[in-house]
Amino acid sequence: MLSLSFSPLVPVPPLWGLLALAAALGVVAFLARGPVSLLRVLVLALVLAALANPSLVQEEREPVKDIAAVVIDRSGSQMLGERPAMTEQVKAELQRRFGGLAEIEPRFVEVPEAGSDEGTKLFTALSNALADVPPDRLAGVVMVTDGVVHDIPANAAALGFKAPLHVLVTGRPDERDRQIHLIEAPRFGIVGREQTIRAEVMERGGTGSAVVTVRRDGEEVVRQTVRTGRPFALTLRIEHGGPNVVEIEAEALPGELTTANNRAVLPIEGIREKLRVLLVSGEPHAGERTWRNLLKSDANVDLVHFTILRPPEKQDGTPISELSLIAFPTRELFQQKIKDFDLIIFDRYANQSVLPSSYFDNIVRYVREGGALLIAAGPEFASAASLARTRLAAILPGEPNGRVIERPYKAVLTGSGQRHPVTRDLPGSEASPPAWGDWLRLIGAEVRPGITPIMGGADGQPLLALSREDKGRVALLLSDHAWLWARGYQEGGPHLDLLRRLGHWLMKEPALEEEALRAMTTGHGREVRVERQTMADDAEPVTVTAPSGATRSLTLGPDKPGLFAATFEAGELGLHTLRSGSLVSFVSVGPANPRELIDVFSDTERLRPVAEATGGSVRRVAEAGDAVTVPRLQVARSGRLAGAEWIGFRPSDSAVVRGVSVYPLALGLVALALLAAAVLAMWLTEGRRGRA
């Protein structure tokens, strides 16, 4: 390929100035001397041509193939229904048909699901994949997608290329789906109060009504039929502190795209407005202040404390009403308002006939209906005035055997205590013997069958035993010497950890449950840590259900005594459900309701404006009930770029320059000879004219 090139020996502006001056002088000379002056114009023209330095350039070019980008959408919505199979079929057919286009080289770009909730970004991936391709070499772009794309440019000018864009849409126009949409979803709630949730069942191709099932912490609480497309309200009671996991699920439609969006999960954090604790102390003793200081130090605890000042052996006939400044409101506390308390503590309380038997019946009923009772026993527990000789005996974890051991001993964790969240990892328990001070008194007792103490004392006697009674809980601490740790006796011990954990377990703190399943993201990508707290020797496998419904079994290994753990890499964004026996837990990887599942229907209209602006097209690869069809591929050098059964690519005729040869025209002996000949001709012509 030949072309004329100029490489001026002087800057271009002066060269143009000289050309203008030469033209003006040529005109003046022609007017003054006639045609003979044309030789002078020729000489000036040759001089200017020499300064312009013209050259003939010969290029050796090798044609190169144009690039056609094929973007394959592998986002979450593309994994629904028939779309994965359609996508693979279309991709295979495109690979086969591009093999027949010798002028075009296909470049396939796989776009996986994004690691965040930014949705499907096909144009961003296309731009990154074509970073090394000159815009004029791009013959066209083909996108295989369901049409749900979240980074569509505002117009064709923002694409960054002028090639045609063709979109092949997977999915079918008659798709059906149903999903739950949360309208009002409270994140916090007061324990014991009700919260209202407003939601809506949205569907396409449905029946107009749906059965909605509501579960709280895995247990079904409501099942009702609602109209689709209309908001409905649910009222649920917040049962406990910590996460109350509410699951709302709509029944599936026959043949719907996915059931992953038929369920919405809402964790409502239960907050206790005030923990009301009733502390009833018997004979005044050194440990009474320890209990009071512990409970008063927590600003969230509303403490009601009464002390029975009259010892049982003192019988001087003085009326009880005259022994205290404030009468003990037994009827109000143990009959009228007993359900207002979250925890009742009897601290070295002896049965002095202050509370009638019917009140102990009320306490038993209170516990079995979900209340909590703690007995901090002293010597009176082994006497005839023991609470174990009242109606409370039916719910106590043990009964006294008549022994009162009064000698130094180390409180130790039993095998169950090493597993139990109340006592596991107590500071000092890792040493043998434990690195904490002695206690000096222990009340002998026999625990009930089926109950294993979590702490032991002298002579292998139980020190702390816990039990569950229907919906409530009971703890029996068989010593009144916890205050020795608080006072620093023999360097003290972890009294705050022990007593606070004990109180929180009684009030059903989720973190202290003996049997629990927990899952949380670790902060390293999609890694999820699963923990199974159990009092058993082994933990059964955990079934993990992904948002798409896919399941996997996870085997847990020992992490600590009573705690088994494992990690796994979540392959999908969204809410994962974990089950182990009757326990259920949830963990959200990314958002709980991913953007990919909000709108799951395939769409041909979102990409149509930008595709048609480039001369391209948008079409489905399969209509309702039809087989998958892929349009023909052909090169279109002019005119339309798409037809009813074909899509076109515009070639650029690009080439790679393999060699360049340059031939100067105004330098060297030839140019010098031409210039000399022109000067000589001018001299001879003008000399003859002068002689004439």
Side-chain angles (χ1 to χ4, degrees):
M1 180 178 179
L2 287 175
S3 61
L4 183 64
S5 173
F6 292 91
S7 300
L9 302 177
V10 296
V12 174
L15 186 62
W16 281 108
L18 290 175
L19 179 61
L21 179 61
L25 292 176
V27 171
V28 172
F30 182 80
L31 294 176
R33 302 180 63 86
V36 71
S37 63
L38 293 178
L39 289 175
R40 293 192 177 190
V41 173
L42 176 62
V43 172
L44 289 176
L46 290 175
V47 172
L48 290 175
L51 293 176
N53 191 21
S55 301
L56 282 177
V57 179
Q58 183 179 14
E59 295 180 349
E60 297 180 11
R61 295 192 174 194
E62 179 182 339
V64 295
K65 292 183 177 182
D66 292 317
I67 300 295
V70 182
V71 181
I72 307 296
D73 182 0
R74 304 287 189 183
S75 61
S77 60
Q78 268 284 80
M79 299 296 107
L80 304 178
E82 303 176 75
R83 296 177 193 175
M86 286 183 176
T87 301
E88 288 301 324
Q89 189 174 347
V90 172
K91 178 182 177 182
E93 184 64 16
L94 288 174
Q95 289 175 329
R96 185 185 70 82
R97 295 192 178 187
F98 270 115
L101 296 180
E103 304 175 34
I104 296 178
E105 174 187 341
R107 177 175 295 188
F108 287 82
V109 181
E110 299 275 346
V111 184
E113 184 177 3
S116 59
D117 194 33
E118 297 179 353
T120 303
K121 294 200 167 185
L122 300 188
F123 289 92
T124 301
L126 174 66
S127 177
N128 294 335
L130 297 180
D132 61 334
V133 177
D136 58 349
R137 280 194 60 196
L138 186 63
V141 176
V142 180
M143 287 187 172
V144 183
T145 176
D146 56 8
V148 183
V149 182
H150 301 104
D151 65 341
I152 302 175
N155 49 58
L159 286 172
F161 58 84
K162 295 182 179 180
L165 170 63
H166 302 288
V167 182
L168 304 181
V169 179
T170 59
R172 300 183 186 272
D174 59 344
E175 293 168 334
R176 312 175 73 196
D177 190 66
R178 175 179 284 166
Q179 63 178 277
I180 286 283
H181 172 60
L182 293 176
I183 300 173
E184 290 183 12
R187 296 178 57 194
F188 303 94
I190 303 299
V191 175
R193 297 187 182 179
E194 293 184 337
Q195 282 287 346
T196 299
I197 303 170
R198 296 185 70 243
E200 181 181 358
V201 178
M202 299 187 298
E203 66 179 7
R204 190 167 88 177
T207 60
S209 65
V211 176
V212 173
T213 303
V214 182
R215 301 180 183 89
R216 180 180 53 219
D217 296 330
E219 292 188 21
E220 183 176 318
V221 292
V222 176
R223 181 186 287 266
Q224 66 184 56
T225 301
V226 302
R227 294 291 301 274
T228 59
R230 296 185 181 179
F232 63 92
L234 299 168
T235 302
L236 296 176
R237 179 184 173 88
I238 306 301
E239 292 290 342
H240 56 78
N244 292 254
V245 180
V246 179
E247 181 182 2
I248 307 172
E249 183 175 8
E251 66 175 342
L253 281 170
E256 72 171 301
L257 266 177
T258 177
T259 59
N261 55 3
N262 288 36
R263 182 183 62 180
V265 177
L266 173 64
I268 303 178
E269 191 73 18
I271 301 173
R272 295 184 183 272
E273 188 175 20
K274 271 290 186 179
L275 297 175
R276 298 202 67 197
V277 178
L278 173 60
L279 174 61
V280 181
S281 298
E283 179 181 343
H285 69 109
E288 180 180 358
R289 182 167 294 276
T290 298
W291 281 109
R292 183 176 179 84
N293 290 343
L294 173 68
L295 296 169
K296 293 294 288 184
S297 66
D298 191 341
N300 199 38
V301 171
D302 188 1
L303 176 64
V304 178
H305 185 197
F306 287 94
T307 301
I308 308 302
L309 298 174
R310 184 177 178 83
E313 67 272 8
K314 185 173 183 180
Q315 302 293 338
D316 57 3
T318 305
I320 294 178
S321 61
E322 298 179 8
L323 292 178
S324 63
L325 296 175
I326 301 175
F328 190 9
T330 54
R331 183 173 181 275
E332 182 181 6
L333 294 176
F334 294 101
Q335 184 169 330
Q336 297 177 346
K337 295 187 176 181
I338 186 171
K339 292 185 178 181
D340 292 342
F341 292 102
D342 298 290
L343 173 62
I344 297 175
I345 302 175
F346 284 109
D347 174 33
R348 286 201 59 176
Y349 179 83
N351 184 19
Q352 306 176 39
S353 299
V354 174
L355 299 179
S357 297
S358 61
Y359 288 1
F360 288 116
D361 287 336
N362 291 342
I363 297 174
V364 172
R365 188 180 307 110
Y366 155 80
V367 170
R368 287 177 173 167
E369 291 178 356
L373 175 65
L374 169 61
I375 307 295
E380 75 289 334
F381 192 70
S383 69
S386 172
L387 288 175
R389 297 180 182 273
T390 68
R391 303 284 180 86
L392 293 183
I395 60 172
L396 294 182
E399 60 181 29
N401 57 19
R403 296 180 61 189
V404 178
I405 303 173
E406 295 191 337
R407 70 168 187 269
Y409 65 91
K410 291 281 187 184
V412 296
L413 303 185
T414 65
S416 297
Q418 293 174 352
R419 297 191 186 101
H420 203 288
V422 170
T423 49
R424 183 179 61 216
D425 295 333
L426 276 178
S429 64
E430 67 280 356
S432 182
W436 50 51
D438 291 343
W439 288 8
L440 305 178
R441 182 153 54 209
L442 179 67
I443 312 304
E446 301 295 333
V447 297
R448 285 162 41 193
I451 295 177
T452 303
I454 61 173
M455 293 187 76
D459 300 337
Q461 291 289 305
L463 175 59
L464 177 60
L466 309 178
S467 68
R468 294 170 180 259
E469 295 294 327
D470 290 343
K471 297 180 180 179
R473 305 184 181 192
V474 182
L476 178 59
L477 180 61
L478 291 162
S479 177
D480 59 339
H481 277 186
W483 63 272
L484 291 174
W485 281 358
R487 299 284 182 87
Y489 176 69
Q490 292 184 348
E491 297 187 359
H495 74 287
L496 287 176
D497 294 288
L498 174 62
L499 300 182
R500 279 180 177 164
R501 290 186 197 175
L502 184 57
H504 289 162
W505 177 85
L506 286 164
M507 291 183 282
K508 303 177 183 178
E509 176 66 35
L512 295 171
E513 292 293 321
E514 303 99 311
E515 301 294 330
L517 178 65
R518 292 182 286 268
M520 67 290 293
T521 54
T522 63
H524 300 287
R526 300 186 182 185
E527 187 178 76
V528 177
R529 175 177 171 85
V530 181
E531 295 181 350
R532 174 70 165 92
Q533 165 66 44
T534 180
M535 298 299 290
D537 294 331
D538 297 299
E540 59 187 18
V542 174
T543 301
V544 182
T545 305
S548 64
T551 61
R552 61 182 294 183
S553 182
L554 189 65
T555 302
L556 280 64
D559 186 65
K560 295 179 181 179
L563 186 65
F564 297 81
T567 60
F568 71 92
E569 192 76 13
E572 301 177 31
L573 293 179
L575 196 72
H576 293 66
T577 305
L578 299 92
R579 298 184 185 275
S580 177
S582 61
L583 298 175
V584 61
S585 181
F586 302 92
V587 61
S588 179
V589 179
N593 300 297
R595 191 175 182 182
E596 285 290 324
L597 295 180
I598 293 176
D599 185 2
V600 296
F601 296 112
S602 59
D603 185 13
T604 58
E605 299 307 313
R606 299 190 190 188
L607 288 164
R608 187 177 300 278
V610 66
E612 292 182 349
T614 65
S617 61
V618 179
R619 69 190 73 204
R620 288 188 179 274
V621 298
E623 296 296 332
D626 294 340
V628 174
T629 59
V630 179
R632 298 193 321 272
L633 311 182
Q634 65 184 52
V635 175
R637 297 186 178 276
S638 62
R640 297 171 56 199
L641 292 170
E645 298 180 353
W646 62 276
I647 56 177
F649 300 89
R650 181 179 289 124
S652 64
D653 297 326
S654 299
V656 175
V657 177
R658 297 299 184 185
V660 178
S661 299
V662 180
Y663 303 98
L665 299 179
L667 296 177
L669 296 177
V670 175
L672 182 60
L674 288 175
L675 180 61
V679 172
L680 179 60
M682 177 187 69
W683 178 72
L684 291 175
T685 301
E686 291 190 357
R688 289 176 181 173
R689 184 177 180 183
R691 287 194 298 274

